[in-house]
Amino acid sequence: MPGRLAPSIRPRDAGPLLRGPHSGAAVAPLAAALADLVVDALLREVMLTPKPGLVDRRNTGSHRDMDVATFEASAAALRPGFAGFVTLGAGIAPLPPEAVLECARPVGLACERAMLAATGGVNTHKGSIFAFGLLLTAVGRLWAAGLPVDADAVCDEVARIAAGLVARELRRPGEPRTAGERLFRRHGLTGARGEAESGFATVRYRALPVLERALAEGRDTDTALAAAFLHLLAHNADTNLAARGGIGGLGFARAAAVRLLQAGGVDAADYAARLCALDDAFIARNLSPGGSADLLAVAWTLHRLPFVLRDGPPARTW
Ligand SMILES: CC(C)(COP(=O)(O)OP(=O)(O)OC[C@H]1O[C@@H](n2cnc3c(N)ncnc32)[C@H](O)[C@@H]1O)[C@@H](O)C(=O)NCCC(=O)NCCS
Ligand SMILES: Nc1ncnc2c1ncn2[C@@H]1O[C@H](COP(=O)(O)OP(=O)(O)OP(=O)(O)O)[C@@H](O)[C@H]1O
């Protein structure tokens, strides 16, 4: 796997947000800055255009119940909850990792309620709430413990927090209650839980190196995000795709992404036309790679994390 390129910024770098409580710094500025970062990541994701089957500025993809404005309203409603995860993590830093999920789940459920209230009952960010709940709680814990806070450290802490989640929630007896649980029973897909338990391995070893290499080569942000998204689409076992199109739908989407990557990806001669044609093909099949969209926002957040910790919150570009 290509190596990571972002700087690994450690407490000694003494950025305004980096010093933990041992220096008396309060967690609130950190929580606010990271909530801004995640909202920025969610809005960059939905604005990235075109994305096959997903809501973007070209169309609403395979969705009739949500558009860009729905995602903007949802992201704004989630900002307090995202800050709450960081504050929670800092407050429970002494707890062992296996005790964290139980503390975080009520915050996650409150976020889901805030999302549904802001969207009129539409699921815009359920997967993102789960992923970022883990990520932000992990950051709060590392920061409070005065430990290094970079992409690798955060992913390792997420893996520790989510350890055993698949066995506990997907292998349990009884009727499946969600698409994710049904897909595990039928096809062994572990979805958001498996990705979390792996420490966001698909992001860490696939999307993030592609994103950072493209940026280091001078590509603009949207091109770098598009390149990372293509790798996610090719490699991520996205249960949204399988829930909508069956295992065949997931295979169709991944094979199409692999073909586009083999043709040069974002540098393919007819890239834009091919991506729009793929968008139309996904819509015709009611396919939506929502999980990969969530992970794209996670990749952006992990990439920007060291910079936000050192330089403060991102400019609100929306
Ligand atoms: C854990 C949750 C999200 C699992 O939901 P579900 O059973 O539907 O799982 P499933 O894996 O199918 O997908 C949930 C969502 O995750 C995203 N997703 C799907 N596949 C993937 C994947 N491979 N990788 C990452 N995200 C994915 C999609 O957006 C999807 O809508 C949910 O059951 C839950 O517990 N929500 C409560 C909030 C919570 O737990 N918060 C914790 C904060 S730490
Ligand atoms: N730009 C995007 N467009 C659509 N979905 C996205 C986007 N970004 C992220 N997602 C993710 O995809 C999920 C929505 O996908 P989907 O609508 O298939 O899920 P669902 O609501 O469980 O299914 P259904 O709408 O069929 O009930 C959201 O939970 C969100 O996490």
Side-chain angles (χ1 to χ4, degrees):
M1 297 299 162
R4 306 240 341 18
L5 296 174
S8 173
I9 295 176
R10 310 275 165 169
R12 65 175 175 278
D13 297 304
L17 295 172
L18 207 54
R19 288 184 297 277
H22 55 272
S23 66
V27 71
L30 174 76
L34 292 176
D36 282 354
L37 173 58
V38 170
V39 169
D40 178 61
L42 293 178
L43 296 180
R44 285 181 186 277
E45 178 276 301
V46 74
M47 296 293 187
L48 182 67
T49 300
K51 291 188 303 290
L54 292 164
V55 172
D56 57 27
R57 287 177 287 119
R58 179 175 188 246
N59 56 39
T60 60
S62 303
H63 301 269
R64 291 174 185 73
D65 56 357
M66 50 194 190
D67 58 15
V68 166
T70 322
F71 276 82
E72 288 175 316
S74 177
L78 290 172
R79 188 193 301 274
F82 291 147
F85 281 118
V86 179
T87 306
L88 170 76
I92 61 171
L95 287 185
E98 59 271 18
V100 171
L101 253 187
E102 185 181 352
C103 303
R105 200 172 285 279
V107 181
L109 292 170
C111 284
E112 286 191 0
R113 289 191 294 273
M115 170 192 76
L116 295 173
T119 63
V122 173
N123 164 24
T124 44
H125 286 123
K126 174 181 172 184
S128 292
I129 290 167
F130 177 67
F132 283 110
L134 289 165
L135 185 154
L136 293 166
T137 303
V139 171
R141 283 167 54 85
L142 293 169
W143 177 84
L147 294 170
V149 183
D150 57 32
D152 291 331
V154 171
C155 288
D156 287 342
E157 179 64 11
V158 167
R160 285 188 289 269
I161 292 170
L165 194 54
V166 168
R168 278 197 312 276
E169 294 193 5
L170 291 178
R171 294 190 200 285
R172 61 171 186 75
E175 275 307 300
R177 292 166 299 190
T178 65
E181 293 173 22
R182 278 192 297 278
L183 289 162
F184 177 75
R185 297 278 177 87
R186 201 170 299 157
H187 305 294
L189 299 179
T190 58
R193 296 178 181 85
E195 182 66 18
E197 195 167 341
S198 76
F200 296 135
T202 312
V203 176
R204 188 176 184 179
Y205 301 115
R206 299 279 185 187
L208 194 51
V210 168
L211 174 67
E212 292 180 337
R213 187 164 307 284
L215 292 169
E217 290 167 353
R219 311 308 292 269
D220 65 82
T221 298
D222 274 2
T223 301
L225 285 169
F229 181 73
L230 262 184
H231 280 78
L232 285 167
L233 195 54
H235 297 290
N236 181 35
D238 191 327
T239 60
N240 270 45
L241 287 168
R244 284 167 166 264
I247 207 72
L250 174 59
F252 169 84
R254 294 177 80 170
V258 168
R259 280 196 303 275
L260 192 40
L261 287 171
Q262 288 167 342
V266 293
D267 294 318
D270 52 354
Y271 168 71
R274 290 179 68 143
L275 207 57
C276 289
L278 199 55
D279 189 19
D280 297 340
F282 274 42
I283 293 168
R285 292 167 175 79
N286 193 37
L287 293 176
S288 171
S292 296
D294 295 336
L295 293 185
L296 183 67
V298 170
W300 179 256
T301 300
L302 290 174
H303 164 64
R304 293 299 305 164
L305 181 61
F307 301 97
V308 168
L309 288 169
R310 183 184 62 193
D311 308 329
R316 292 194 184 182
T317 49
W318 306 103

